[in-house]
Every structure is written in C-alpha cells, then in structure tokens.
Amino acid sequence: MPYCTNCGNEVGKTHYYCGQCGDPLTDETDRDGVAPRSTAQRTGFLSGRTIEYLSDVLEEGLDENHPGHTHLERDIAAALVDFGMVGAIEDLNLLEVLASGSQDDFLDDTESELMYIGFLRLIRLYDQSIGTDWEEELSERLTTAVEKAKEELDEDPP
C-alpha cells in the first residue's frame, strides 16, 4: 500500500490526493511504496492533477474544501515564482514568443489555444487579483494607438 510523501498517511492505489493533507499523489511508487514528489511529470506551471481540479472548477465552481484546492494554491505560488523569473529577463518579449511559433513543437492545438488565451488574460487576471483597472486603460491605449496608426497610413499612402 502506498503512503503520502507529505504526511505519511496510507493512501489507496487509485487515490489522486492524500485524504489527510490533500497532497497530490503520483502513479509511481518507490521501493518502499512511497509516492515520490516530482515536477518531472509537469508540462507547464500547473500539475496534471491541478489541471483536472481546474476543469471541475470551471464546471462546478471553486471548492476550497476539495483536496485539489491545496495543491492549486501551491501550483499558483510556484507559477508566480516562475513568472517572476521570466519577468526578470528584460530582453524577453512575450508577444515575440507567441508570434515565433517555436512552441508548436511541444504544445498540442488545445495547449496552444490556451497559451494565447492565457496571454490575453494576463492583464485581466492582474486586475481581478489586485483590484486595478489596467485592462480598461490598456484597451483605451490600444484603441488610440490603432486609430493614430490608421490616420498616419491615410496621410502617407505607401
């Protein structure tokens, strides 16, 4: 019988989360029957089990008592650390990363679509989390920039 690597609680072979502490469990166990904690099975910031939980959240709403919620908070914290590291690279332009198509080699169509949605929701996510109105301000600035560019093109035809 496997045991949770976080709290040592005995868990069933078919359990996804520890019933005691909510820690996610992997399908693999070491020679002692203990499920290893590893991010090697992750393809992005969030673990597969957190993605499963988020799918439920989208359909049923957020349940803070669900064992997956504990792992969701851990994954989000880890994601923010990762974003912090990415944000520290001043020469990295996320729009260029999206436009390059370099991710096509390792993302399937659904993941690519979610990547674009995620990029477009970054400002909204910030606004929701911090209580700001940057999305509205950015939208106004983009509209103004597009209008100005159109005017300049109309004045100076190629």
Side-chain angles (χ1 to χ4, degrees):
M1 182 69 77
Y3 295 88
C4 174
T5 57
N6 187 48
C7 71
N9 183 51
E10 187 173 355
V11 295
K13 291 182 181 180
T14 60
H15 292 170
Y16 290 109
Y17 297 93
C18 173
Q20 181 72 27
C21 70
D23 207 46
L25 307 170
T26 65
D27 294 332
E28 301 173 9
T29 57
D30 66 15
R31 64 179 169 264
D32 297 323
V34 177
R37 296 180 76 173
S38 170
T39 58
Q41 297 174 354
R42 292 173 40 176
T43 58
F45 291 136
L46 303 178
S47 67
R49 291 200 172 92
T50 293
I51 296 294
E52 288 178 21
Y53 171 63
L54 287 176
S55 295
D56 293 343
V57 166
L58 291 172
E59 293 177 17
E60 302 166 14
L62 196 64
D63 178 5
E64 293 183 12
N65 295 317
H66 188 285
H69 189 76
T70 301
H71 192 56
L72 172 66
E73 289 180 350
R74 291 177 190 159
D75 274 2
I76 289 173
L80 292 173
V81 170
D82 291 344
F83 273 120
M85 292 178 70
V86 168
I89 303 171
E90 293 181 16
D91 297 335
L92 184 63
N93 182 324
L94 293 182
L95 195 54
E96 287 179 7
V97 171
L98 289 176
S100 73
S102 61
Q103 66 281 352
D104 293 343
D105 294 337
F106 56 89
L107 296 181
D108 63 29
D109 291 342
T110 303
E111 291 171 327
S112 290
E113 185 175 336
L114 285 170
M115 176 189 63
Y116 289 108
I117 290 170
F119 178 77
L120 295 172
R121 287 204 34 109
L122 280 175
I123 304 246
R124 184 179 304 166
L125 179 65
Y126 185 87
D127 283 349
Q128 286 174 305
S129 300
I130 311 294
T132 57
D133 292 323
W134 283 22
E135 183 181 27
E136 186 176 319
E137 182 181 328
L138 179 64
S139 179
E140 290 173 9
R141 286 183 176 186
L142 286 174
T143 301
T144 302
V146 168
E147 289 172 359
K148 185 176 179 180
K150 285 181 181 178
E151 288 173 8
E152 289 181 13
L153 285 174
D154 289 341
E155 290 175 8
D156 301 320

